[in-house]
Amino acid sequence: MLTVGTAPVTGSVHSFDISTGVDGPGTRFVAFLAGCPLRCLYCHSPDTQYRRYGRPTSVQDLVTEIRRYERFLKVAHGGVTLSGGEPLHQPAFTREVLRRCTEMGLHTALDTSGLLGDRADNALLDATDLVLLDIKSGDPATYRAVTRTGRLQPTVRFARRLADRGMPIWVRFVLVPGLTDDPGNVEAVASIAADLPTVERVEVLPFHRLGARKYAALGLPFPLERTPPPDEALLRRVIGQFQDHGLTVY
């Protein structure tokens, strides 16, 4: 088992999955780590918000699981994505898994809100090929309303650090009617993204209620139970705002 000093490096892993075209380029092994400091109103995975919802897992155990798919991932031009929850809630574990994947020759991606970006040391970022950066909102007050616990500035600071390093970024923005869809809020997110020269694309993700059953299973109310998905007109308007800044949008 890998150790740092005298303490073994273990993480809390909720689950893993194989996905295509959603969590980075190609077919990906996606590990969902448990634990997140945010409580986003639209979170579709409340079962990953607390570390206790995960399974204690050593770096070697997770890497052994990844190795089962190594050849397939390479042939499929994919790689490994660490998601969550929030991977930077467990920076030592995240760093070592990414490093081991890099040694295997696998493309690596980090899916993060950026709130805990200061926890990502240079060694962690050196082992990361792509950052999927979830910018919750561009207006600080809206960001706070969405996340209930977070602040926008750490994400912006982390994004600029990534850009200064020349690291590829895919920006993700969840479009929620009545919550994140205000034109001024969208414009602020677009401005942040356009100011980052290494942003390769923006993914506008329409809000959905597919996680409602998870809230029910945990005995929790789903905060946006009555919120509808965005209609086509709203989706086109928001995509257009990003495109007006010269950004490639998916």
Side-chain angles (χ1 to χ4, degrees):
M1 180 181 294
L2 182 82
T3 61
V4 174
T6 59
V9 177
T10 61
S12 180
V13 177
H14 176 271
S15 56
F16 64 85
D17 198 3
I18 302 296
S19 71
T20 301
V22 178
D23 299 288
T27 299
R28 318 288 299 179
F29 179 103
V30 185
F32 299 93
L33 277 55
C36 181
L38 301 179
R39 296 294 178 264
C40 297
L41 293 176
Y42 56 66
C43 179
H44 64 274
S45 298
D47 48 339
T48 66
Q49 289 180 356
Y50 296 94
R51 291 189 67 166
R52 66 176 180 269
Y53 291 156
R55 182 181 71 257
T57 305
S58 71
V59 170
Q60 184 58 50
D61 285 345
L62 184 55
V63 170
T64 296
E65 191 65 43
I66 292 169
R67 283 193 183 278
R68 295 179 54 210
Y69 301 89
E70 179 183 358
R71 179 173 175 78
F72 171 66
L73 295 173
K74 289 178 178 178
V75 170
H77 304 289
V80 174
T81 299
L82 296 190
S83 186
E86 170 56 65
L88 296 182
H89 204 256
Q90 306 179 51
F93 181 77
T94 293
R95 179 183 63 245
E96 295 307 323
V97 172
L98 292 173
R99 184 183 65 81
R100 294 282 295 274
C101 290
T102 298
E103 290 177 350
M104 292 162 60
L106 290 168
H107 181 276
T108 58
L110 175 70
D111 184 3
T112 176
S113 72
L115 178 70
L116 302 180
D118 290 347
R119 295 189 180 187
D121 60 20
N122 288 335
L124 188 155
L125 295 181
D126 286 344
T128 304
D129 295 310
L130 171 68
V131 175
L132 309 175
L133 185 64
D134 185 3
I135 302 182
K136 311 290 184 177
S137 284
D139 169 66
T142 304
Y143 191 101
R144 181 75 178 184
V146 168
T147 64
R148 296 188 278 189
T149 59
R151 296 178 298 113
L152 171 63
Q153 189 53 40
T155 295
V156 175
R157 183 171 64 245
F158 182 57
R160 289 175 178 160
R161 179 182 167 204
L162 297 175
D164 288 345
R165 289 175 56 95
M167 295 185 65
I169 302 169
W170 290 8
V171 168
R172 291 174 151 184
F173 173 70
V174 180
L175 176 58
V176 186
L179 182 62
T180 66
D181 62 339
D182 181 82
N185 183 52
V186 175
E187 187 69 17
V189 176
S191 295
I192 292 169
D195 195 42
L196 302 170
T198 60
V199 169
E200 296 182 342
R201 62 198 282 179
V202 174
E203 297 181 338
V204 177
L205 307 177
F207 165 74
H208 59 72
R209 293 187 294 238
L210 298 179
R213 59 182 176 80
K214 296 182 180 180
Y215 284 86
L218 294 170
L220 299 173
F222 181 32
L224 302 181
E225 183 177 2
R226 299 184 181 277
T227 301
D231 58 30
E232 285 300 318
L234 176 56
L235 190 57
R236 285 196 301 271
R237 188 263 286 172
V238 171
I239 289 174
Q241 285 189 258
F242 283 103
Q243 291 175 331
D244 287 344
H245 283 261
L247 295 161
T248 300
V249 185
Y250 286 82

